[in-house]
Amino acid sequence: SQQGEEDPQALSIQEGENATMNCSYKTSINNLQWYRQNSGRGLVHLILIRSNEREKHSGRLRVTLDTSKKSSSLLITASRAADTASYFCAALYSGGGADGLTFGKGTHLIIQP
Amino acid sequence: DGGITQSPKYLFRKEGQNVTLSCEQNLNHDAMYWYRQDPGQGLRLIYYSQIVNDFQKGDIAEGYSVSREKKESFPLTVTSAQKNPTAFYLCASRARDRGGYGYTFGSGTRLTVV
């Protein structure tokens, strides 16, 4: 399986603090994406970073990509209670073979008011 | 507004029955996907389709079947051959450029075997 891993599996912080989640993947990627899932709902696309990019920002989100270490991190700054959700990284692998994103198992983030 | 509609939201199946989950999109997306999510787990790819009348197996296709007769629709049938079908099923779609866009997901169907 090419499934990646997120770290940590669960994270609980106080409102206003920053939250950092990490993701590792297996082989060369086309891009890496981060998604958010509220309990029992579908996934919402947050941000995409291409393999030739190292950092990307979107509002309070900052994503980095280190292709030499096959890892990515998602930073949420100034967290809010509404950020409580599960966050998944998903790799789009390069080359031929099956299409479709390969998801990690997710980080469950709890923001305490 | 454009989006993906999955129905039903909840589905109960008896042992030995086939059930079909609906997925419809009005985003004019070419590619569509079915994923399965088990509690506390990530998503695993069941089937995908890049164009009409064509589809490919994903990582866990056994016990499932799909069709893609229309661009807008990609129904998933969970057959009696699927031994552990209780899960949350998510449908997704994307535009043609696989390198540049994220996927759009439906709100999911929760299937329970009774």
Side-chain angles (χ1 to χ4, degrees):
Chain A
S1 167
Q2 302 225 64
Q3 190 172 31
E5 295 287 336
E6 275 105 337
D7 167 45
Q9 289 188 331
L11 179 62
S12 179
I13 61 174
Q14 295 294 124
E15 194 166 20
E17 294 181 338
N18 295 344
T20 299
M21 289 158 270
N22 303 297
C23 166
S24 62
Y25 57 90
K26 303 291 186 182
T27 61
S28 297
I29 58 171
N30 181 302
N31 65 59
L32 189 130
Q33 306 177 26
W34 285 89
Y35 289 80
R36 166 197 169 119
Q37 184 180 35
N38 288 86
S39 181
R41 306 299 298 273
L43 277 68
V44 175
H45 179 252
L46 296 176
I47 197 165
L48 179 153
I49 186 164
R50 292 183 173 82
S51 60
N52 61 353
E53 297 175 316
R54 292 298 167 257
E55 188 171 311
K56 206 160 181 181
H57 297 254
S58 177
R60 293 184 296 113
L61 305 180
R62 173 178 168 252
V63 168
T64 61
L65 181 65
D66 187 334
T67 53
S68 66
K69 296 180 179 179
K70 294 186 174 59
S71 67
S72 174
S73 66
L74 172 67
L75 168 68
I76 303 174
T77 60
S79 63
R80 305 167 181 169
D83 294 330
T84 293
S86 291
Y87 292 81
F88 294 89
C89 71
L92 185 65
Y93 287 103
S94 310
D99 191 9
L101 294 171
T102 300
F103 285 82
K105 295 183 179 181
T107 292
H108 184 50
L109 175 65
I110 298 172
I111 308 298
Q112 302 192 22
Chain B
D1 288 336
I4 296 183
T5 302
Q6 288 187 243
S7 63
K9 189 175 176 68
Y10 298 96
L11 185 58
F12 297 89
R13 190 193 96 169
K14 291 183 179 179
E15 296 275 357
Q17 277 186 339
N18 293 356
V19 291
T20 298
L21 284 59
S22 171
C23 178
E24 303 276 335
Q25 54 101 356
N26 61 2
L27 299 164
N28 199 33
H29 282 174
D30 293 293
M32 296 186 74
Y33 305 83
W34 274 105
Y35 286 90
R36 170 182 171 139
Q37 185 178 30
D38 292 284
Q41 300 294 312
L43 281 65
R44 291 183 291 167
L45 182 64
I46 305 172
Y47 267 98
Y48 66 96
S49 168
Q50 293 175 313
I51 55 172
V52 175
N53 292 322
D54 184 64
F55 50 83
Q56 305 294 330
K57 293 181 179 179
D59 299 321
I60 55 165
E62 185 174 351
Y64 300 97
S65 66
V66 293
S67 62
R68 186 88 186 275
E69 298 175 1
K70 299 186 301 182
K71 188 175 186 178
E72 301 80 16
S73 179
F74 191 39
L76 173 74
T77 296
V78 184
T79 75
S80 57
Q82 170 48 239
K83 298 305 178 189
N84 185 22
T86 295
F88 190 48
Y89 291 86
L90 287 158
C91 179
S93 70
R94 64 159 177 85
R96 179 181 294 273
D97 178 3
R98 70 196 292 266
Y101 300 95
Y103 290 22
T104 301
F105 279 84
S107 57
T109 292
R110 189 167 299 281
L111 173 63
T112 304
V113 174
V114 296

